[in-house]
Amino acid sequence: MFLLNEDFVKPYKKIKPKFGFNGLGELTFYRTYSRIKKDGTNEDWVDCIERVVNTTYNIQKTHILQNKLKWNEEKAQKSAQEMFDRIFNMKFMPPGRGFWAMDQNIIDKVGGAALNNCAFVSTENIHKSLEEAVKPFIFLMDMSMLGVGVGFDVKGAGKIYVHKRQNEFKTIYQIPDTREGWVESLKLLLESYFTVDGIPLEFDYSIIRKEGELIKTFGGVSSGPEPLKRMHKNITDVLEKNIGNPLTERTIVDIMNMIGVCVVAGNVRRTAEIAFGSSDEFMDLKNYEKNPERNNWQTGWGWTSNNSIFAEIGQNYSDAAQRTALNGEPGYEWLENAQKYGRFIDGINWKDKKAKGGNP
């Protein structure tokens, strides 16, 4: 286990950090990045940096030793101390996810996924198998509950049908009080509609911790089972309206957005979504007059994603621009540029030619 030398860290405890912005910087730090310590108190600036640096170098040390490479403790200590000092004096900063999730307990439990700022998943292959049909949705929920922002497309629209569930038998699923349990419940719900003669479900929420109880790994307090119950009900309502029809662009976005509502209700499990489509139906999803139910700020779900179109050079932007002028959306993603360039200054290199979308 790598640890910064205590004698090095101790003097920094006496120095007042220069957060700036008339206290706003300090407020933001304690609100967003300071974790709860074992004694129940919040980390201060020094505690947070020490955790981040120790975990970073411990990951490096583990990798080096596992690959039978040479680890130099003295060199690592010197380098880690320089990293600590630069962060303390705000000359260098890790990303927000690094501040929050660079914790040995989190890394040991979920790996490095929680350290990602953003991700993207495509729905274009949902017709290939039942596993592929539910995969984009459960990926988005899983990553979102780790605090990762997720982008997605609606290319799966029209490729699978929503089926009526049979009533002879019923499966009862007792949802574990874990991230994995919540995600599994979504998987089972979607599978029951994406298979012919799907088995109806009844969820047992009894062992989910009550609202207000502490969340140990990711911090904050539990929202209780209510957000999950609402997600199950809302997704069920949407799929019931689609029975006998192909999955639409709107239904894909609705399900993803309903997942987002559930996740952000969980206190510090913040996330962001961006949806990519192109049809008139898609571009009208944020129209408050045409879709008041989904865009209601208190009971709706449309607010959880930015909606953008895949734009092409030379296309007619009139229809999209009229909507952007009205509601601020859609946004525009020139996917070919993302595939051709890293930075424009470096010229065309096609290093990201497999890019399918973007992220929040």
Side-chain angles (χ1 to χ4, degrees):
M1 177 70 73
F2 178 87
L3 293 172
L4 280 161
N5 188 305
E6 288 186 14
D7 291 335
F8 167 79
V9 175
K10 197 177 296 182
Y12 287 88
K13 291 278 189 180
K14 301 177 182 178
I15 306 172
K16 184 175 177 59
K18 297 179 181 179
F19 283 109
F21 298 98
N22 294 318
L24 181 59
E26 185 173 12
L27 175 65
T28 301
F29 163 70
Y30 279 105
R31 181 206 66 182
T32 309
Y33 305 115
S34 172
R35 300 185 66 85
I36 303 295
K37 298 189 293 185
K38 291 181 179 179
D39 63 4
T41 62
N42 276 84
E43 293 175 327
D44 60 21
W45 184 230
V46 172
D47 295 327
C48 177
I49 303 171
E50 188 175 14
R51 166 176 55 80
V52 170
V53 173
N54 282 340
T55 307
T56 301
Y57 275 79
N58 197 54
I59 292 172
Q60 184 184 55
K61 182 177 182 178
T62 300
H63 172 79
I64 287 175
L65 295 179
Q66 285 179 345
N67 288 276
K68 296 180 172 56
L69 302 172
K70 187 177 180 180
W71 171 259
N72 187 319
E73 186 71 28
E74 183 179 349
K75 183 179 179 181
Q77 186 68 221
K78 183 178 179 181
S79 175
Q81 289 178 9
E82 181 182 359
M83 178 179 176
F84 181 100
D85 184 78
R86 286 178 180 270
I87 298 175
F88 182 88
N89 289 297
M90 305 187 191
K91 296 179 179 178
F92 153 80
M93 291 285 185
R97 296 304 304 162
F99 268 132
W100 172 250
M102 186 60 85
D103 176 272
Q104 198 62 50
N105 292 328
I106 293 178
I107 301 303
D108 291 342
K109 186 173 182 179
V110 303
L115 294 173
N116 286 278
N117 294 310
C118 293
F120 173 82
V121 63
S122 177
T123 62
E124 66 178 335
N125 294 322
I126 63 174
H127 61 291
K128 292 187 174 181
S129 67
L130 180 58
E131 180 183 1
E132 289 293 334
V134 300
K135 186 177 179 180
F137 304 101
I138 62 176
F139 175 85
L140 180 136
M141 186 171 189
D142 195 19
M143 291 298 100
S144 295
M145 292 185 77
L146 292 172
V148 180
V150 184
F152 62 93
D153 62 31
V154 293
K155 292 180 179 178
K159 292 186 176 181
I160 61 171
Y161 277 78
V162 180
H163 299 284
K164 183 176 178 61
R165 301 189 294 181
Q166 53 93 348
N167 297 314
E168 284 77 14
F169 304 99
K170 184 174 288 188
T171 297
I172 298 177
Y173 178 63
Q174 186 177 58
I175 304 170
D177 188 30
T178 61
R179 184 187 87 256
E180 295 85 353
W182 286 39
V183 174
E184 180 68 14
S185 74
L186 172 68
K187 174 177 176 286
L188 293 173
L189 178 60
L190 294 176
E191 285 179 345
S192 72
Y193 280 99
F194 292 166
T195 54
V196 178
D197 296 328
I199 298 174
L201 283 167
E202 182 177 313
F203 291 118
D204 179 353
Y205 305 89
S206 61
I207 61 175
I208 294 176
R209 76 192 78 182
K210 296 179 180 178
E211 182 179 2
E213 293 186 15
L214 292 177
I215 300 173
K216 294 180 180 179
T217 303
F218 286 95
V221 294
S222 170
S223 56
E226 289 306 316
L228 187 61
K229 289 181 180 179
R230 285 196 299 272
M231 184 192 80
H232 289 154
K233 181 183 183 304
N234 287 338
I235 291 176
T236 297
D237 290 345
V238 164
L239 291 175
E240 284 288 329
K241 294 175 183 177
N242 280 257
I243 286 176
N245 297 306
L247 203 62
T248 65
E249 290 190 3
R250 173 174 180 151
T251 303
I252 291 173
V253 180
D254 280 347
I255 294 173
M256 295 296 200
N257 288 172
M258 289 167 179
I259 295 169
V261 172
C262 177
V263 172
V264 298
N267 198 303
V268 297
R269 293 175 295 177
R270 300 183 184 96
T271 186
E273 294 181 7
I274 184 169
F276 293 99
S278 58
S279 69
D280 286 341
E281 177 191 47
F282 177 85
M283 288 192 290
D284 280 335
L285 289 178
K286 283 289 187 75
N287 186 309
Y288 293 82
E289 293 183 1
K290 292 184 178 180
N291 295 294
E293 180 187 14
R294 77 183 309 278
N295 292 305
N296 184 294
W297 282 97
Q298 293 180 312
T299 59
W301 51 88
W303 53 268
T304 57
S305 70
N306 161 254
N307 297 341
S308 296
I309 63 169
F310 286 125
E312 296 180 4
I313 295 174
Q315 77 175 64
N316 186 333
Y317 298 103
S318 299
D319 289 343
Q322 288 175 8
R323 292 171 169 91
T324 304
L326 181 65
N327 295 315
E329 293 190 21
Y332 303 82
E333 163 83 353
W334 285 271
L335 186 59
E336 185 179 351
N337 280 345
Q339 295 168 336
K340 289 165 64 175
Y341 298 91
R343 299 179 304 170
F344 281 118
I345 195 173
D346 295 329
I348 297 173
N349 54 38
W350 292 102
K351 287 184 178 180
D352 294 316
K353 64 181 179 180
K354 294 182 179 180
K356 296 286 187 179
N359 56 52

